[in-house]
Amino acid sequence: MSGFRTAFVTIASALLLALAGTAAPASAASLVEVTGFGNNPGGMRMHVYVPDTRPAHPAIVVAMHGCGGSGPGFYSGSEFASLADRYGFLVIYPSAQQQAGFGNCFDTWSDAAKHRNGGSDPVSIVSMVSYAEQRYGGDPNRVFATGSSSGGMMTNEMLALYPDVFKAGAAFMGVPFGCFANAADFPPWSSKCTGGGGANRTPQQWGDAVRQAYPGYTGPRPRVQLWHGTADTLVPYALLQEEIEQWTNVFGLSQTPTSTDTPQAGWNRRRFADGSGTVRVEAYSVQGAGHSLPAAGMAAVAIAFFGLT
């Protein structure tokens, strides 16, 4: 009898282990909100996407929405999370809370937001990056910024203010750093920046704005990728040239591209390389596109520019 009981217990235990194995599905990555991530003068919300398969020290991509949007909305409406699954990087999705003519726009207009560690949204975003480095082992040498519209504007902002934090950025439908005079200048229908007159500055003036954001900084600058639709009327296409002038001046490069090509139908690319052949600035003019970027496939191009593929 004792032998039968022993055999029964053994079989039952094996069945229970088998059932437990089938009942517990493999973990699936999902968007998670993080609270208490650190200094947050912008009063922002933070969501993070951590893929199941990733290296011990994954790269970090900060992906920022347009005005009226949210981090979860940009997660759902862009391709960065699926690319994170493929290439094993973390994605931080900040949610702006500032109100300046629209709802939920990233602060690229206040005096605080134009100076390193000055406060407002840029400081909140850097806190999110530090949290991701500490909590998830994110690689501080591979941190990147990208965003659409207001998020594209904030991409230029973060590259200017924190060149020691971000290694590269991809700005979709942005404006040069320092373009907006103040909150009243932000709404497109009343803005000198997006209205044209206030944005026509020399490359030197644009470059000085970046240099003054972090006085005395002499280290390496993050590489920059810029995207704009030629039919964009909300953030006019002409601002792409102003962004090019700003960043080429920061790098001490000629305004004349070192190469031009059409990597895909309707995508005209200008590249600006340094003396060693490294592309420091590249700009995409998307023919006929309005205020609707990134479109399909563009996020993958940004991720490749970051060196994450």
Side-chain angles (χ1 to χ4, degrees), residues 32-234:
V32 175
E33 181 162 12
V34 175
T35 57
F37 53 81
N39 189 17
N40 185 18
M44 303 178 74
R45 295 176 65 187
M46 172 186 178
H47 288 78
V48 63
Y49 183 77
V50 182
D52 291 327
T53 303
R54 61 188 187 278
H57 298 291
I60 299 170
V61 174
V62 181
M64 294 173 280
H65 63 79
C67 276
S70 68
F74 201 52
Y75 160 78
S76 300
S78 65
E79 298 171 323
F80 292 105
S82 62
L83 291 164
D85 285 333
R86 182 174 181 181
Y87 297 113
F89 55 86
L90 313 178
V91 190
I92 296 171
Y93 295 94
S95 290
Q97 304 297 313
Q98 305 285 349
Q99 308 291 313
F102 293 90
N104 295 358
C105 302
F106 291 98
D107 176 10
T108 54
W109 56 80
S110 75
D111 186 65
K114 295 174 185 174
H115 296 90
R116 179 183 172 87
N117 298 331
S120 195
D121 291 356
V123 169
S124 297
I125 293 168
V126 168
S127 294
M128 296 179 194
V129 170
S130 296
Y131 178 90
E133 291 172 356
Q134 295 161 14
R135 173 65 179 81
Y136 305 109
D139 186 349
N141 294 312
R142 294 190 299 151
V143 180
F144 307 93
T146 188
S148 173
S149 192
S150 176
M153 299 169 189
M154 183 52 84
T155 296
N156 283 329
E157 194 98 358
M158 299 309 295
L159 301 185
L161 295 170
Y162 296 97
D164 52 336
V165 173
F166 293 92
K167 293 302 179 283
F172 295 87
M173 309 180 305
V175 303
F177 170 75
C179 192
F180 297 110
N182 47 43
D185 188 40
F186 185 72
W189 52 85
S190 60
S191 175
K192 290 183 178 178
C193 171
T194 55
N200 189 15
R201 304 179 201 170
T202 66
Q204 183 70 35
Q205 288 172 322
W206 283 128
D208 286 346
V210 172
R211 288 181 283 270
Q212 290 162 8
Y214 186 5
Y217 179 74
T218 57
R221 294 280 180 178
R223 297 163 59 245
V224 186
Q225 185 183 73
L226 305 166
W227 295 78
H228 225 109
T230 60
D232 193 334
T233 55
L234 186 66

Side-chain angles (χ1 to χ4, degrees), residues 228-233 235-238 240 266 268 284-291 293:
H228 225 109
T230 60
D232 193 334
T233 55
V235 179
Y237 171 66
L240 175 62
N268 296 334
Y284 286 80
S285 298
V286 184
Q287 299 304 309
H291 199 70
L293 308 183

